[in-house]
Amino acid sequence: MQDPALTPELIEAHGLKPDEYDRILEIIGREPTFTELGIFSAMWNEHCSYKSSKKWLRTLPTTGPQVICGPGENAGVVDIGDGQAVVFKMESHNHPSYIEPYQGAATGVGGILRDVFTMGARPIAAMNSLSFGAPSHPKTRQLVHGVVEGVGGYGNCFGVPTVGGEVRFDAAYNGNCLVNAFAAGLADTDKIFYSAASGVGMPVVYLGAKTGRDGVGGATMASAEFDETIEEKRPTVQVGDPFTEKRLMEATLELMQTGAVISIQDMGAAGLTCSAVEMGDKGGLGVRLQLDAVPQRETGMTAYEMMLSESQERMLMVLRPEKESQARAVFEKWDLDFAIVGETIADDRFLILHGDDVKADLPLATLSGSAPEYDRPWQEPTLPKPLDLGSVPGIDPIDGLRALISSPNYCSRQWVWEQYDTMVMADSARTPGQGAGLIRVHGTEKLLAFTSDVTPRYVKANPVEGGRQAVAEAYRNLSALGAVPLATTDNLNFGNPEKPEIMGQFVGAIKGIGEAVAALDMPIVSGNVSLYNETDGTAILPTPTIGAVGLIRDPETAITGEVREGHVALLLGDTHGHLGQSALLAEVFNRVEGDAPHVDLAAEKRHGEFIRENHALIKACTDLSDGGLALAAFEMAEAAGVGVQLDSDDTPTLFGEDQARYLIACNFDQAEALMIAAGQADVTLTSVGRFTGDAVRFGNTEAPLTDLSHLFRSTFGTTFS
């Protein structure tokens, strides 16, 4: 097949700017072949090269005594003691999920699971953070159904429990939903596998499923805005097979026990191109590939298609040659392809052969190390004026609560997580819907806690405070269980970075996240940046999702009890009644005004430590975030089937979203002991009511718990069924 001529239109269609193409000409001293153009496009797009974000990502704290491996590998690795490590990462699959919701979400789950088991870890938990457009938008229902079914369909068949996550709705996501997938696994600290190739003349081996034409150009598509040509991008969405992935995981983990693996890399974005280049670049080696040896499920595939296909369930490995027969036998047993497709070479070359034809001959290190890096112009966001509390009309507090729990943003997510297998592997210690997820570390006393958090309207109003708050809320969710926060992974979803106001959001959020993870000892160990989340020039809300992992070494220190009749309700932290950017303001009055709440990182750390130090006195605990005290108290009461009475009916007191606060339930004598401990620790602890009866009562107004519970649990299904 004749390669097309390299016209300016074709170059632009590959996501390359004229000056970037000129740089390619300068590097190789000639016009690239069509396959070479595709390779540069794949390696230099935003999704793979981080060319707009690298400068700022370098400022994030990524180290600590607990960190075994930080950013740069397939996933982050953190020590949890006893020779064990937790391996985790969060990654976006936004554009594919908007185009083809089921497969986009399913292959997002598949990709993040591969990132984990590629490091030698067996996956033990998954989460997802989903952002959709307004519930009334004509496409939202289809997206919700497709994405949730895709997440469940892949994760359930693969056999990993979904332990938590979040779902939000806002008109800003009408043209660009977000699907952020998280996975974590367990590995031995002395059996972590990395991607850097080593040794000249070592076989490069293709593992897993066959290569097809699905997903060709997917990474480039994910690095561009949507417009009226969106339907033309459907072929760039990958197709997943969770049963093949399950076999691939078992084969890969078995292969790792043979000693055959020198290095290994998931074939994710940009497929064979990115995996081969990254392995060679990290090892300071070149790579020669013979494409005739690549297992193919379609006939007549070109070199361009094979190099850029993002077919799923595939890996690339550098093999110890003396172990070839042993390694091949493992993959044949699992009925998966095992093909030697090339070798490592001493020269700095990425040499691609198809038959006798040289389809690409490029300096390998340049593909990765010399990708464009931009210091994009950014403008400091104009911060909103503080909200005038006098402008917020009075409202019956029970009516305010009803408005929140009847909103798809704050009602129960039961409809979602009941479609996920939450108990497979039999180590889940908590079902979703109660805060952070909790998994037992099999064969030990330890537990791992998982959470995913961000409040995009805070980030839009004040990127620095919003970035801090996302980390602080993750810290609180883990602390509320008695877990010690270990580390974080970030999934940074923003609009077009070429717009200074969008880049300003990104820079501000990074600053806030960096300050918070440093103050709270939660370094960033892995992550993903997803930019150009816009349609026809309309950007999403800035959504820097924070996934965090915490450790409970002794199950006796875990706070996993339930509220009981007669428990005292105690509020840890100071309440000032901050209603700016609050859920109440948005859901009841349709107003998005005011500044984000201030985050006092010293108070966050002090209060989290107080919770952990006094775990024995606490029966149940939750952090306060969206909806403030009112929503937190209702959710605790509703989960236990016990009523709650709060002393106040003041709107700012009940619905304010001041940070660094927790709601605690305990017996009366424990409450007294906690008050004494709070005085000694110099923290604010206030009695705000008690859990009793069968009604929700705020001040002098009340409603039956059963009525409110029905509204809370039925809203999501009623809206989207």
Side-chain angles (χ1 to χ4, degrees), residues 363-541:
L364 186 144
T366 300
L367 285 168
S368 178
S370 297
E373 182 175 335
Y374 297 118
D375 184 3
R376 296 206 183 273
W378 60 278
Q379 66 185 42
E380 200 80 46
T382 301
L383 300 183
K385 295 178 181 178
L387 178 72
D388 176 10
L389 284 178
S391 71
V392 181
I395 183 171
D396 180 285
I398 294 295
D399 289 344
L401 177 66
R402 279 199 185 95
L404 292 182
I405 64 175
S406 63
S407 160
N409 274 313
Y410 301 108
C411 66
S412 169
R413 300 296 190 263
Q414 191 173 346
W415 183 91
V416 175
W417 60 257
E418 283 185 344
Q419 297 185 54
Y420 304 151
D421 192 332
T422 62
M423 303 302 289
V424 65
M425 300 175 73
D427 280 319
S428 299
R430 205 181 202 205
T431 54
Q434 305 176 66
L438 198 60
I439 291 285
R440 288 179 287 268
V441 179
H442 199 74
T444 77
E445 293 286 291
K446 294 176 294 194
L447 298 135
L448 285 168
F450 303 96
T451 187
S452 168
D453 299 285
V454 67
T455 307
R457 65 180 181 277
Y458 290 173
V459 188
K460 177 74 179 295
N462 188 327
V464 176
E465 289 289 8
R468 287 191 194 112
Q469 192 276 336
V471 176
E473 186 174 346
Y475 177 87
R476 292 197 303 271
N477 272 322
L478 299 176
S479 297
L481 273 177
V484 176
L486 290 178
T488 53
T489 179
D490 57 2
N491 203 153
L492 308 174
N493 308 271
F494 290 81
N496 185 342
E498 297 169 45
K499 298 177 179 178
E501 65 274 18
I502 299 295
M503 200 64 205
Q505 293 173 352
F506 183 86
V507 171
I510 287 281
K511 288 180 178 178
I513 290 169
E515 291 172 7
V517 297
L520 301 174
D521 299 324
M522 299 168 67
I524 301 281
V525 297
S526 59
N528 172 244
V529 178
S530 176
L531 303 176
Y532 295 96
N533 288 290
E534 299 197 7
T535 296
D536 296 327
T538 299
I540 61 162
L541 291 176

Side-chain angles (χ1 to χ4, degrees), residues 70 75 151 219 246 258 301 344 349 408 447 507 642 686:
V151 169
K246 175 69 170 176
T258 68
M301 290 191 71
T344 59
R349 296 175 73 189
L447 298 135
V507 171
V642 177
T686 311

